[in-house]
Amino acid sequence: MKRILYLFAAAVLALSACTKGADMVGGHDSVYYTSGGRYMMHIADDLIAGALENLEIACEMDRTEVTWASRFPGMKIEKADENLWHLSFEGLFAFDNQSYQTEFTMTAARLNENKHADWDVTLIGSRTEREGYRCTFESLGAITYQALDTNNGWNLLYGRLSMLVFDKDGKKDGCLLQLDGAPSQAQFVRGL
């Protein structure tokens, strides 16, 4: 009986260590337990990573605009140098099935020649939502997206993303998303 309880306890500990957001104690709030942190992860995941996926498709097809079925219809892509692109988008974009007017400009520098490349990204953008709420967001320096042992997505992110939230009366909050490895290790700070 003791052995069964021991194995059960070990299984619970192993499971909790693998759960997103539960792999650290102390520090700042995990992004997965706060609405602001989840919102900023949508920027890092849906918006930035989604734009990079479209950029990789555009590079393969030698296109300068997203004309295929995509979440970024009409996104402009300009090759600035051998491994450097400028992207710009303005239109409706969805986080959690909520579409709102979103615009951004992004610079993406390809770090290697893999089919699914690693990238350094700088970004500045804004989003207008309901009831007078809006936000601005920007990378603080470059954010690195690395695809370690994967051909689908990026599993290591390094850098900082800042966001200011406004309502019709002015600034409501300032937030920071610190990316330091696996997405589950991201730290979220608000009240800045």
Side-chain angles (χ1 to χ4, degrees):
M1 181 70 163
K2 282 185 179 180
R3 183 174 179 185
I4 291 173
L5 288 173
Y6 174 75
L7 290 173
F8 177 73
V12 168
L13 287 173
L15 181 62
S16 68
C18 295
T19 303
K20 281 186 172 182
D23 58 355
M24 68 178 186
V25 295
H28 303 286
D29 291 335
S30 167
V31 298
Y32 299 102
Y33 298 122
T34 63
S35 58
R38 286 190 307 273
Y39 192 93
M40 290 189 78
M41 280 305 291
H42 280 298
I43 296 170
D45 184 357
D46 299 339
L47 194 144
I48 298 174
L52 287 174
E53 288 169 346
N54 278 261
L55 173 58
E56 289 184 345
I57 292 168
C59 288
E60 285 183 27
M61 298 183 343
D62 197 28
R63 298 280 180 92
T64 59
E65 182 176 351
V66 174
T67 57
W68 55 92
S70 168
R71 294 177 66 192
F72 300 92
M75 181 172 73
K76 305 283 190 236
I77 300 169
E78 176 189 340
K79 186 171 184 176
D81 202 350
E82 181 62 27
N83 289 307
L84 186 70
W85 289 263
H86 298 296
L87 291 73
S88 59
F89 174 79
E90 184 174 339
L92 293 177
F93 190 76
F95 294 161
D96 283 335
N97 297 318
Q98 299 287 321
S99 292
Y100 293 107
Q101 186 66 28
T102 304
E103 55 188 68
F104 67 85
T105 58
M106 186 168 106
T107 300
R110 186 169 52 198
L111 302 178
N112 54 38
E113 294 293 326
N114 298 339
K115 180 178 180 184
H116 188 53
D118 297 338
W119 298 90
D120 271 351
V121 173
T122 57
L123 169 83
I124 187 165
S126 65
R127 186 169 167 89
T128 303
E129 296 203 3
R130 65 189 179 282
E131 300 173 16
Y133 278 89
R134 63 185 176 85
C135 70
T136 60
F137 47 87
E138 66 179 312
S139 58
L140 301 177
I143 300 174
T144 301
Y145 280 68
Q146 291 182 334
L148 184 63
D149 300 325
T150 180
N151 287 323
N152 185 23
W154 293 268
N155 51 359
L156 296 174
L157 310 175
Y158 299 94
R160 296 181 304 153
L161 184 64
S162 170
M163 180 175 73
L164 297 176
V165 179
F166 303 89
D167 69 4
K168 59 187 173 211
D169 298 323
K171 181 182 169 188
K172 293 293 285 183
D173 204 354
C175 308
L176 179 70
L177 183 66
Q178 177 71 41
L179 302 160
D180 194 23
S184 65
Q185 295 174 328
Q187 294 182 345
F188 173 69
V189 181
R190 61 174 297 260
L192 302 174

